[in-house]
């Protein structure tokens, strides 16, 4: 049972037994993410003070300008995961192809792969708005002892072993699940320790917040337009409040605490929406379902989608169960 003010380290040890794979692996996985989160947090919090702001002059596979902190966060998470010798492969939004970790794991004995969005919402960095890291963890499906393959990464979200995010906001939090509920840990930067501050996080079944970029309204499918108008009507507990930070992790985190729905629909501009299935939607969907919420592409459960490409995009509706189901109703009509 989670105890308030327990440290992340104590929580992992206490819950090791409930993790269905051999002991120690979960700890090393989450501990490597914990270390990287602290290192990235240090840089994010002083971004305004050193020359790390602004584009790194390169673009990633998404064709987006890479912010220097994107590159820094990507390097730190890859370095930490590699050095801890627990994963056989890593995929990242910032890397065109997956990385085979053989520097430490030359016999390919490690059993896990990690997919990360190292710094989501990075366009907010220069304007001092919160950003986040998202991670998704699977066990490999190809034989141990052989190099990791693309199919180890192209697994349905329902196969995830663990998933979570770090939100670098007014405080820095690590929120994750291993399939036994969602727990939130807040960093005490003075001593570099994460403390359990939000045990057993749950989406309220209903909410009054909808998060969508309404600047794309005219490009949305009619069902989305109709749902947005439904949110704005004077009826019952509506109109809802519109809150959109432009950082998935922050909008998701607020909606999980207060109740709400986040939408990134497809549009005439983005035929599959903007968010990536493997390292944004699947981990957030795992968290949502573990927190009594829901995540769909407007019609189907996100975690049932069979991936076909590493960087594929998918429309995303996620949050309070009753709100997602209402949005799906409008999508079906
Ligand atoms: P737009 C950030 O780039 C991101 O992936 C999410 O974190 C965020 O919710 C969304 O894209 C913002 O996209 O098109 O509304 O600026």
């Amino acid at each position: 049972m989670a105890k308030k003010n327990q440290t992340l380290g104590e929580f992992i040890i206490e819950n090791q037994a409930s993790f269905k794979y051999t002991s120690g692996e979960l700890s090393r996985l989450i501990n490597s993410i914990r270390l990287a989160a602290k290192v990235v947090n240090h840089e994010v919090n002083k971004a305004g003070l050193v020359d790390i702001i602004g584009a790194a002059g390169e673009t990633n596979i998404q064709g987006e300008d890479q912010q220097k902190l994107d590159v820094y966060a990507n390097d730190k998470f890859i370095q930490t995961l590699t050095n801890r010798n627990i994963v056989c492969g890593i995929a990242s939004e910032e890397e065109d192809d997956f990385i085979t970790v053989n520097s430490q794991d030359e016999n390919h004995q490690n059993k896990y792969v990690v997919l990360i969005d190292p710094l989501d919402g990075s366009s907010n960095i220069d304007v001092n708005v919160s950003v986040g890291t998202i991670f998704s963890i699977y066990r490999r499906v190809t034989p141990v002892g052989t190099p990791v393959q693309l199919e180890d990464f192209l697994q349905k979200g329902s196969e995830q072993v663990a998933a979570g995010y770090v939100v670098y906001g007014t405080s820095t939090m690590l929120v994750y699940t291993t399939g036994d509920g969602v727990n939130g840990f807040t960093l005490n930067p003075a001593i570099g320790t994460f403390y359990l501050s939000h045990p057993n996080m749950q989406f309220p079944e209903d909410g009054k917040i909808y998060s969508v970029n309404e600047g794309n309204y005219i490009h949305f499918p009619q069902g989305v337009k109709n749902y947005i108008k439904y949110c704005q009507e004077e009826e019952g507990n509506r109109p809802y409040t519109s809150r959109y930070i432009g950082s998935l992790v922050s909008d998701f985190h607020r909606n999980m605490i207060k109740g709400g729905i986040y939408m990134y629909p497809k549009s005439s501009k983005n035929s599959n929406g903007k968010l990536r299935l493997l390292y944004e939607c699947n981990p957030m969907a795992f968290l949502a379902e573990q927190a009594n919420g829901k995540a769909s592409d407007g019609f189907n459960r996100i975690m049932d989608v069979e991936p076909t490409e590493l960087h594929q995009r998918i429309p995303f509706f996620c949050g309070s169960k009753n709100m997602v189901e209402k949005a799906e109703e409008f999508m079906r009509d």
Side-chain angles (χ1 to χ4, degrees):
M1 182 58 200
K3 295 188 280 292
K4 271 268 191 189
N5 292 332
Q6 194 174 29
T7 68
L8 174 56
E10 291 160 355
F11 180 86
I12 290 171
I13 291 164
E14 189 174 280
N15 291 278
Q16 184 66 58
S18 69
F19 185 58
K20 60 183 185 244
Y21 299 107
T22 46
S23 71
E25 290 174 323
L26 171 71
S27 312
R28 283 160 55 204
L29 263 176
I30 303 296
N31 278 328
S32 60
I33 288 165
R34 169 175 65 169
L35 174 62
K38 287 196 273 191
V39 172
V40 171
N41 173 64
H42 181 68
E43 288 304 316
V44 167
N45 282 343
K46 65 175 190 179
L49 302 174
V50 295
D51 175 32
I52 199 159
I53 289 276
E58 296 156 28
T59 64
N60 60 19
I61 190 168
Q62 328 294 337
E64 295 163 345
D65 287 346
Q66 275 190 297
Q67 305 281 338
K68 282 182 180 174
L69 265 176
D70 266 349
V71 176
Y72 178 85
N74 187 53
D75 292 351
K76 282 300 159 200
F77 274 92
I78 290 172
Q79 176 192 349
T80 315
L81 285 164
T82 302
N83 293 348
R84 286 293 172 92
N85 195 16
I86 175 70
V87 298
C88 57
I90 302 170
S92 169
E93 182 196 40
E94 304 300 339
E95 302 286 339
D96 296 354
D97 202 350
F98 65 83
I99 295 166
T100 303
V101 176
N102 46 26
S103 53
Q104 309 280 345
D105 180 22
E106 62 279 359
N107 301 318
H108 313 296
Q109 293 305 304
N110 291 338
K111 307 181 191 66
Y112 294 91
V113 295
V114 179
L115 299 96
I116 52 170
D117 182 357
L119 211 61
D120 181 71
S122 52
S123 55
N124 287 323
I125 292 166
D126 292 355
V127 294
N128 205 15
V129 170
S130 62
V131 292
T133 296
I134 308 172
F135 61 91
S136 171
I137 300 171
Y138 292 87
R139 283 175 73 87
R140 69 178 300 179
V141 291
T142 56
V144 172
T146 63
V148 70
Q149 307 288 331
L150 180 60
E151 68 183 287
D152 292 308
F153 299 92
L154 299 185
Q155 298 187 53
K156 288 197 298 188
S158 53
E159 297 303 309
Q160 288 174 99
V161 165
Y165 58 81
V166 184
V167 51
Y168 309 98
T170 45
S171 64
T172 294
M173 282 191 67
L174 172 59
V175 177
Y176 79 95
T177 182
T178 58
D180 189 23
V182 176
N183 290 286
F185 299 81
T186 300
L187 179 66
N188 175 343
I191 55 174
T193 302
F194 281 99
Y195 286 92
L196 179 62
S197 52
H198 297 67
N200 190 25
M201 298 182 82
Q202 296 270 304
F203 267 99
E205 292 218 331
D206 278 304
K208 292 193 57 175
I209 296 170
Y210 70 101
S211 308
V212 65
N213 183 340
E214 297 193 55
N216 297 323
Y217 180 84
I218 58 167
H219 303 291
F220 285 152
Q222 193 56 46
V224 174
K225 291 180 179 175
N226 294 344
Y227 178 67
I228 290 173
K229 287 307 163 205
Y230 168 83
C231 293
Q232 296 168 344
E233 279 168 353
E234 291 274 357
E235 177 86 26
N237 68 345
R238 287 171 285 133
Y240 295 155
T241 292
S242 173
R243 285 283 183 278
Y244 191 69
I245 298 171
S247 173
L248 165 61
V249 168
S250 306
D251 281 315
F252 179 97
H253 188 75
R254 182 208 51 247
N255 290 349
M256 181 157 62
I257 292 171
K258 292 180 178 273
I261 183 171
Y262 171 97
M263 299 180 284
Y264 208 104
K266 71 176 188 178
S267 72
S268 44
K269 288 194 302 181
N270 296 312
S271 58
N272 287 316
K274 174 184 180 185
L275 300 190
R276 295 80 168 179
L277 172 61
L278 291 184
Y279 40 79
E280 288 178 323
C281 299
N282 269 336
M284 303 311 271
F286 190 16
L287 289 163
E289 292 195 3
Q290 285 291 314
N292 188 39
K294 192 163 186 179
S296 88
D297 63 2
F299 303 95
N300 307 298
R301 180 186 183 225
I302 285 287
M303 294 214 285
D304 287 341
V305 174
E306 280 290 352
T308 52
E309 290 164 33
L310 209 47
H311 300 286
Q312 74 185 76
R313 301 173 191 268
I314 191 166
F316 195 51
F317 297 71
C318 180
S320 295
K321 188 182 296 194
N322 296 346
M323 298 182 83
V324 174
E325 288 173 354
K326 191 66 178 173
E328 289 173 331
E329 215 177 281
F330 279 95
M331 294 301 286
R332 279 194 297 273
D333 296 350

